[in-house]
Amino acid sequence: GEGVIIPNDIGNRDPDVFDHPDTLDISRHDRRHVAFGFGVHQCVGQPLARMQLQVVYSTLYRRIPTLRLATDLDRVPFKHDGAVYGVYELPVTW
């Protein structure tokens, strides 16, 4: 009867399942992640979210091919205090 709360930022980080689990690799082909849930609990918005990301990133990199971080990655302030993992700010330059 006890409830369990699992932080979102630990999902998909099993080194036995994912090579270099803490590395952002947008060309990774591994489809065993649980980012959109799994099975009957899979997010119905998954196809839309994937399409949006494909359109946004391909358009962004085509229009600004020299886009890059404006600081070292270890200076990017990551969020660890909320329900959704991400960054507080992402300084870029081109």
Side-chain angles (χ1 to χ4, degrees), residues 35-36 43-57:
F36 290 102
C43 176
V44 297
Q46 177 183 4
L48 176 61
R50 288 180 188 258
M51 181 192 65
Q52 288 174 328
L53 289 171
Q54 288 173 355
V55 169
V56 165
Y57 286 127

Side-chain angles (χ1 to χ4, degrees), residues 71-92:
T71 187
D72 293 330
L73 182 60
D74 60 354
R75 298 190 68 199
V76 175
F78 283 84
K79 294 180 182 180
H80 296 284
D81 58 353
V84 178
Y85 187 71
V87 297
Y88 286 105
E89 59 187 44
L90 188 64
V92 297

Side-chain angles (χ1 to χ4, degrees), residues 11-64:
N12 305 318
R13 294 263 174 88
D14 184 348
D16 292 337
V17 177
F18 303 100
D19 291 333
H20 310 288
D22 293 324
T23 300
L24 174 63
D25 180 358
I26 62 172
S27 64
R28 186 176 303 191
H29 295 288
D30 197 330
R31 300 282 184 188
R32 297 174 292 167
H33 61 77
V34 292
F36 290 102
F38 186 78
V40 298
H41 301 287
Q42 191 162 348
C43 176
V44 297
Q46 177 183 4
L48 176 61
R50 288 180 188 258
M51 181 192 65
Q52 288 174 328
L53 289 171
Q54 288 173 355
V55 169
V56 165
Y57 286 127
S58 65
T59 301
L60 182 65
Y61 296 138
R62 187 177 63 252
R63 291 187 181 178
I64 311 173

